[in-house]
Amino acid sequence: MKQENIRNFSIIAHIDHGKSTLADRILEVTNAITKREIKEQMLDNMDIERERGITIKLNTVRLKYNYQGEEYMLNLIDTPGHVDFSYEVSRSLAASDGALLLVDATQGVEAQTIANMYLALENDLTIIPVINKIDLPSADVEKTKRELKEAFGFDDDEILLTSAKTGEGVKELVEAIIERINPPKGKQDAPLKSLIFDSLYDSYRGVLTLTRVVDGSIKVGDEIKFMQTNSTYLVTELFVYNPNFLKVDSLKVGEVGYVVASIKNISDVKVGDTITHAFDAALEPLPGYKPISQVVFTGIYPTETNKYNDLRDALEKLKLNDGGFTFEPETSEALGFGFRCGFLGLLHMDVVEERLEREFNLSLIATSPSVIYEVLLTSGEKVLIDSPKKLPDVTKIKTISEPFIKTNIFTPSEYIGPLMELCQNKRGIYQQLEYLTPERAILHYDLPLSEIVYDFFDKLKSISKGYASFDYELIGYKPSNLVKMDILVNGVVVDAMSTIVHKDFAYSRGKVVVESLKNIIPRHMFVVPIQAAIGSKIIARSDIKAMRKDVLAKCYGGDVSRKKKLLEKQKEGKKRMKQIGNVDIPQEAFLTVLKGEE
Amino acid sequence: MSLFKENKVNRISMGVESTNIIFLHFLGRTHDFNLVKEKINLIKKYGINNINVDLMYALPNETLDDLEHDIDNILSLDVTHISTYSLMIEPHTMLDIQKQKPIAEEIDYDMYKLISNKLKENGFMHYEISNFAKDGYESKHNLVYWNNEHYYGFGLAASGYIKNIRYTNTTSLSEYNKLNFIKEKEVLDKKDIIVYELILGFRKINGINKKDFYNKYHVDIKDLYNIRELLENNNLGENDINIYVNYDKIYVENSILINFVGE
């Protein structure tokens, strides 16, 4: 394929704006697959993937399209994992030359639309604005156009209209991709530079590295080097996905495909790294993309302690196509052996936890998330703390600083008042209010990150009936009056439930937590006190009354076997709980501490 | 009644459930307490004096006073056996569909205490979690179950326990007519039989006879599971003859019994 006939593009959108449906429809328009086959194909692949223990998701697809007598190769670079997630989006964007900015005509521009748009601009991509779902009765194309023009300065005639559902406008969209997006710029005769932007694990082939060739080319039999880890391998196979795995002999400038090189050592492959040749190596690696740092930390533990090794394997495999999280072993008196995991944000945390449970069939307990605190000791030394457990003794602490974020909250105007109140309650500092249109505004607040770690997102959604969206970025550290709050169950400190809270909020938070724990921990044969404490001072207490009734009242001939089964079921339920002291604590209790409704 | 008499029926059990017309209506029963009195007298007239009545309690909105009134009415019938059940709202039943909520655990427990105190004061023995009898009138067929002894099950949905097999018959008449009686079967090994012995035997207020247990299974009951620990922390109690669930723990007995099941 001629280099000037290659187009690499991604689709960026706020969640639920129709990205997957549009991708399917583009596959159909380019005859990669019929409508009927899309489903069958995806299911087949998922079965294979499941058998081999690799992740289940849509792959980057190579498509062919004839336009004005020329054949074009279109690489649709799917956003791995969760679309509502800037780090992962940025990986796809780094491998693309253009992006479709998809906006739902019934919803308009949302926080993630803007965040993704800025990412795309940072990557120098050509943007094609697309208004989707125009077939819906509630679609407001004119208003959405206005928002696109207002927010990004697009012209009327740049904006395409589609319905991924009916297929309207999709052919025009594919042609716009060819007309507007630039072909890849790299040099065919330069030393190889190829960006790793995703990878999969296959128990038979080892690591499959998804890469985009920027300069030079990769051939089967080449000896390649990963520049960051300095490891070398022999390329045994190359694949493209169209959407079947198709073997190819080489990948040239601008092409996207999978490199197989019998890589069994997962840690050799880092998403964001550059592949070059072992001999005639490139001098400099590609810039990769935005350096990443973890901002939210949580302990992740297997519900059953004998699943520790399974959890470690799962984390290693996930890490393969998600360079964004970190993990290191951690032990908890309450939960046993697990891992302290760092994430790029809350959504990232949710996604990783969900993938661990869904794709690796693990049952997990996650402890309250924590941010990184900067603790200045009386000795003048500064330490970073990512877990309440690691907080030094109070007498040694001079100040504790916490990370602050700048948030952009997108909301219909009528919710501005209640949302401001929410931000104030979360120790927010008002910055600015901007109107996008008379009906939609952007509210800017600075907030302590730890406050949105709890229930900010849920509250935002419930206050605005689901219409507000937000994104945030870290702006730095400020000292705060913070203390560690412990939770005692039946007199025993449950280390996994400790949190760092603002002193002014400790009493109210403590009360909320003990009350909600009271409702979630089952009654026992004795009274179970639940207490919140700062140091040795109890700040809140609530008692779970002793169980009064737990009996199979009626048990006769016909019932006997069934009653035994009921007891067995009850026993199973008990086993799923964590026993701390002599109290059975259900998994949700750990989440309750995390989410504590007020 | 004369047919019963001719065929040597010597015990009759009546599902009285409540003596309060409002609660009877709630339970979908069409009788009232006058009818109950009339029929009990009729039974007695035929010379059958071994009579059981069922009493339900913990009905939604029921108060302790309501219950006490029921108990007094039932005592006035002068029967020999009373079975009492706290209402359980099972999934997919009418009450569940109507979204009826069970009564608070505390009230349920207070009602249980009221029943056992009042019936004991009036000459009944509390001999099984939910059953009370005048001396010598314990339910013989029910004791077969609680003593983990064998029995046949005849008819649709009946259960039986013969040799080491517990079985339940089909609920389908057409299957039954084709002589395909048994729908479910549980084949027990010695360990399973002991589990049943424990979870059934501990339903009896006097519990399990230690010597009989040893003669049956050739193992000291106290060596099983965590029974010693349960004795130590006063969940179980013992005397020279029996080992039993302590009386104040009877109503939370599942928490003790789950030690013997699973795995």
Side-chain angles (χ1 to χ4, degrees):
Chain A
M1 181 65 59
K2 284 189 285 183
Q3 192 174 326
E4 58 267 31
N5 286 10
I6 299 176
R7 300 289 182 273
N8 290 333
F9 71 101
S10 308
I11 308 174
I12 52 180
H14 192 78
I15 189 161
D16 283 342
H17 280 206
K19 187 175 83 78
S20 307
T21 321
L22 183 65
D24 285 351
R25 196 55 81 161
I26 291 175
L27 260 63
E28 225 185 298
V29 167
T30 55
N31 296 317
I33 203 156
T34 64
K35 192 175 181 183
R36 186 181 51 85
E37 282 170 333
I38 288 176
K39 272 192 181 152
E40 288 174 6
Q41 197 73 48
M42 293 320 295
L43 285 176
D44 282 347
N45 273 330
M46 270 162 63
D47 283 340
I48 294 163
E49 288 180 9
R50 244 186 237 127
E51 276 164 29
R52 296 192 181 168
I54 57 177
T55 55
I56 298 161
K57 58 185 186 185
L58 189 71
N59 294 280
T60 292
V61 197
R62 175 191 282 195
L63 307 164
K64 268 192 236 153
Y65 193 74
N66 269 304
Y67 180 59
Q68 297 181 344
E70 287 269 339
E71 185 166 280
Y72 288 85
M73 178 201 290
L74 309 179
N75 290 309
L76 166 52
I77 296 166
D78 190 51
T79 319
H82 208 292
V83 54
D84 193 5
F85 197 64
S86 64
Y87 166 68
E88 297 214 348
V89 173
S90 77
R91 288 160 50 177
S92 302
L93 298 185
S96 307
D97 299 304
L100 312 181
L101 179 73
L102 194 64
V103 182
D104 183 336
T106 67
Q107 305 289 322
V109 171
E110 300 268 10
Q112 218 60 44
T113 318
I114 304 216
N116 289 338
M117 173 71 180
Y118 287 134
L119 280 173
L121 291 176
E122 276 171 34
N123 281 282
D124 275 336
L125 302 191
T126 307
I127 313 288
I128 303 178
V130 182
I131 298 179
N132 190 31
K133 302 196 190 178
I134 55 168
D135 60 300
L136 291 183
S138 55
D140 191 340
V141 175
E142 284 315 309
K143 182 167 154 265
T144 311
K145 265 190 184 171
R146 234 167 37 236
E147 287 178 5
L148 275 170
K149 287 189 279 185
E150 187 72 30
F152 309 114
F154 287 117
D155 289 333
D156 252 327
D157 53 357
E158 273 182 278
I159 302 171
L160 298 179
L161 306 180
T162 62
S163 161
K165 204 169 126 203
T166 66
E168 188 184 346
V170 177
K171 188 166 176 287
E172 292 75 7
L173 172 61
V174 171
E175 289 172 0
I177 291 167
I178 293 170
E179 284 167 7
R180 297 194 209 169
I181 295 173
N182 292 323
K185 286 199 197 79
K187 293 188 207 67
Q188 201 65 65
D189 51 2
L192 171 67
K193 276 187 190 177
S194 191
L195 177 71
I196 302 174
F197 64 96
D198 201 359
S199 53
L200 306 173
Y201 189 82
D202 177 303
S203 51
Y204 172 64
R205 291 195 166 87
V207 179
L208 276 73
T209 308
L210 184 58
T211 187
R212 175 198 160 147
V213 180
V214 176
D215 287 323
S217 65
I218 310 178
K219 286 185 289 299
V220 174
D222 282 358
E223 197 175 354
I224 52 165
K225 183 167 87 173
F226 297 110
M227 294 186 81
Q228 203 179 329
T229 55
N230 232 345
S231 45
T232 58
Y233 288 96
L234 204 65
V235 176
T236 56
E237 288 170 294
L238 293 168
F239 288 100
V240 296
Y241 188 73
N242 78 337
N244 286 303
F245 280 101
L246 183 78
K247 274 195 191 192
V248 294
D249 299 329
S250 68
L251 293 171
K252 298 198 178 72
V253 169
E255 295 188 354
V256 174
Y258 291 93
V259 176
V260 180
S262 307
I263 305 165
K264 297 289 177 195
N265 189 1
I266 291 172
S267 58
D268 278 350
V269 181
K270 295 219 181 324
V271 168
D273 195 2
T274 303
I275 303 175
T276 186
H277 281 123
F279 305 100
D280 191 21
L283 296 175
E284 291 285 322
L286 296 163
Y289 22 85
K290 221 156 85 163
I292 46 172
S293 57
Q294 287 71 34
V295 292
V296 182
F297 290 78
T298 181
I300 293 185
Y301 292 82
T303 314
E304 294 156 76
T305 43
N306 60 2
K307 290 280 162 70
Y308 174 79
N309 285 330
D310 294 359
L311 175 57
R312 195 190 47 219
D313 286 353
L315 286 166
E316 279 174 359
K317 282 178 187 159
L318 260 193
K319 174 100 182 139
L320 252 186
N321 61 7
D322 184 347
F325 79 95
T326 56
F327 60 97
E328 58 179 60
E330 172 185 80
T331 35
S332 151
E333 284 159 41
L335 303 175
F337 292 96
F339 295 92
R340 190 80 191 159
C341 300
F343 305 96
L344 305 168
L346 294 169
L347 203 50
H348 186 208
M349 180 176 80
D350 283 348
V351 169
V352 170
E353 285 172 11
E354 198 191 315
R355 289 186 66 186
L356 285 171
E357 296 207 315
R358 208 183 48 204
E359 295 174 25
F360 297 92
N361 216 352
L362 292 166
S363 167
L364 303 173
I365 293 179
T367 63
S368 319
S370 168
V371 299
I372 295 195
Y373 295 97
E374 228 177 60
V375 182
L376 183 63
L377 301 177
T378 45
S379 65
E381 198 193 336
K382 207 183 249 181
V383 285
L384 297 175
I385 305 294
D386 65 12
S387 160
K389 273 204 301 200
K390 297 178 187 161
L391 197 69
D393 193 81
V394 207
T395 56
K396 292 186 182 138
I397 298 174
K398 198 167 168 201
T399 56
I400 306 176
S401 298
E402 61 178 331
F404 270 70
I405 52 165
K406 190 174 121 184
T407 60
N408 308 308
I409 302 170
F410 282 70
T411 177
S413 315
E414 67 250 51
Y415 305 117
I416 289 172
L419 287 174
M420 287 178 84
E421 201 184 319
L422 171 68
C423 291
Q424 298 296 139
N425 289 339
K426 297 286 178 190
R427 300 192 277 135
I429 303 156
Y430 173 82
Q431 300 297 325
Q432 201 194 336
L433 177 64
E434 270 180 79
Y435 281 89
L436 205 56
T437 58
E439 305 88 43
R440 282 174 76 78
I442 313 177
L443 188 56
H444 299 275
Y445 259 90
D446 289 354
L447 282 156
L449 177 63
S450 64
E451 290 291 337
I452 68 153
V453 160
Y454 286 90
D455 53 0
F456 185 80
F457 186 69
D458 294 344
K459 287 238 161 101
L460 179 96
K461 286 290 174 192
S462 78
I463 287 171
S464 67
K465 303 196 169 65
Y467 285 111
S469 57
F470 89 115
D471 72 310
Y472 62 87
E473 63 181 292
L474 224 47
I475 47 172
Y477 278 76
K478 284 182 196 171
S480 288
N481 193 0
L482 299 168
V483 288
K484 181 175 151 207
M485 182 175 81
D486 292 322
I487 300 295
L488 292 84
V489 174
N490 204 20
V492 180
V493 173
V494 183
D495 58 358
M497 290 187 178
S498 297
T499 48
I500 291 173
V501 295
H502 193 274
K503 203 169 178 185
D504 296 347
F505 292 72
Y507 283 83
S508 57
R509 172 93 72 197
K511 218 174 132 198
V512 168
V513 170
V514 297
E515 282 306 322
S516 44
L517 283 176
K518 183 183 134 183
N519 293 327
I520 212 153
I521 295 175
R523 291 183 177 202
H524 284 66
M525 288 174 86
F526 42 88
V527 175
V528 179
I530 309 287
Q531 295 161 300
I534 296 172
S536 59
K537 190 177 171 203
I538 303 296
I539 57 167
R541 172 177 176 142
S542 193
D543 289 353
I544 301 172
K545 288 191 209 154
M547 183 202 300
R548 281 304 187 194
K549 188 190 177 198
D550 182 23
V551 70
L552 307 167
K554 205 172 179 177
C555 185
Y556 296 144
D559 280 317
V560 172
S561 299
R562 208 181 125 235
K563 297 284 175 184
K564 192 180 105 197
K565 279 189 197 127
L566 283 176
L567 282 174
E568 282 163 355
K569 218 171 135 194
Q570 188 173 344
K571 170 88 164 233
E572 275 302 305
K574 189 181 154 81
K575 266 170 60 189
R576 273 197 301 274
M577 293 191 240
K578 282 282 170 185
Q579 213 185 25
I580 293 165
N582 44 2
V583 177
D584 296 316
I585 302 184
Q587 288 176 57
E588 307 95 272
F590 295 92
L591 284 173
T592 297
V593 178
L594 182 166
K595 296 222 157 110
E597 271 302 311
E598 277 159 56
Chain B
M1 276 308 298
S2 40
L3 201 64
F4 277 179
K5 200 65 193 162
E6 269 167 42
N7 288 285
K8 310 265 187 261
V9 170
N10 63 356
R11 185 179 189 265
I12 286 183
S13 180
M14 193 185 278
V16 174
E17 316 306 358
S18 171
T19 67
N20 180 323
I21 194 71
I22 295 168
F23 288 124
L24 283 167
H25 182 75
F26 170 78
L27 294 167
R29 307 292 168 119
T30 51
H31 64 265
D32 63 10
F33 187 55
N34 282 331
L35 189 69
V36 169
K37 280 192 288 195
E38 191 189 305
K39 296 304 176 193
I40 292 275
N41 286 333
L42 182 72
I43 293 166
K44 286 182 181 170
K45 222 166 79 187
Y46 278 83
I48 298 176
N49 288 309
N50 189 352
I51 302 171
N52 167 65
V53 299
D54 287 345
L55 167 67
M56 251 191 228
Y57 65 95
L59 307 176
N61 303 316
E62 188 181 5
T63 64
L64 281 166
D65 285 345
D66 292 334
L67 177 64
E68 188 153 19
H69 193 64
D70 269 357
I71 299 169
D72 289 338
N73 279 336
I74 280 176
L75 285 170
S76 75
L77 297 171
D78 193 24
V79 292
T80 52
H81 193 283
I82 299 170
S83 295
T84 65
Y85 305 108
S86 123
L87 176 74
M88 294 250 307
I89 298 173
E90 302 280 356
H92 314 300
T93 56
M94 210 49 215
L95 295 182
D96 179 50
I97 292 161
Q98 291 168 7
K99 294 201 178 8
Q100 294 289 348
K101 291 281 160 265
I103 208 161
E105 208 172 311
E106 267 70 27
I107 303 178
D108 191 316
Y109 175 68
D110 287 343
M111 288 181 162
Y112 185 68
K113 273 199 305 193
L114 177 71
I115 291 168
S116 53
N117 288 339
K118 277 205 81 142
L119 295 188
K120 283 191 288 185
E121 278 165 25
N122 284 278
F124 283 84
M125 278 186 328
H126 191 182
Y127 75 102
E128 194 262 357
I129 294 174
S130 303
N131 286 278
F132 299 81
K134 292 270 175 70
D135 194 13
Y137 285 95
E138 293 90 347
S139 166
K140 286 179 185 154
H141 70 284
N142 282 329
L143 278 168
V144 170
Y145 310 134
W146 301 323
N147 288 328
N148 203 24
E149 287 161 8
H150 296 113
Y151 53 96
Y152 290 103
F154 298 110
L156 290 183
S159 293
Y161 173 34
I162 298 300
K163 287 188 182 154
N164 63 336
I165 294 174
R166 285 191 178 272
Y167 64 89
T168 303
N169 286 345
T170 177
T171 50
S172 150
L173 184 60
S174 57
E175 283 298 306
Y176 200 85
N177 285 339
K178 284 186 225 157
L179 311 184
N180 295 328
F181 303 130
I182 295 177
K183 195 179 87 186
E184 273 177 70
K185 221 195 246 187
E186 188 187 6
V187 181
L188 311 178
D189 59 18
K190 187 182 168 192
K191 190 177 161 240
D192 301 326
I193 294 171
I194 288 178
V195 169
Y196 274 112
E197 183 88 24
L198 296 174
I199 65 177
L200 293 167
F202 281 131
R203 298 188 64 82
K204 295 173 290 175
I205 304 302
N206 288 335
I208 296 167
N209 182 304
K210 290 186 278 189
K211 215 171 107 195
D212 288 352
F213 189 93
Y214 187 84
N215 290 338
K216 245 173 155 173
Y217 304 108
H218 311 293
V219 57
D220 184 350
I221 188 168
K222 291 203 269 179
D223 288 339
L224 293 173
Y225 299 98
N226 55 343
I227 287 183
R228 274 179 212 284
E229 186 194 323
L230 291 166
L231 281 164
E232 265 165 45
N233 57 27
N234 286 323
N235 286 313
L236 297 179
E238 64 175 332
N239 54 31
D240 290 347
I241 301 162
N242 292 327
I243 182 162
Y244 46 80
V245 173
N246 268 326
Y247 197 63
D248 65 334
K249 299 285 163 57
I250 287 278
Y251 217 47
V252 289
E253 192 182 82
N254 280 2
S255 302
I256 298 167
L257 299 184
I258 58 171
N259 288 289
F260 314 135
V261 299
E263 275 140 312

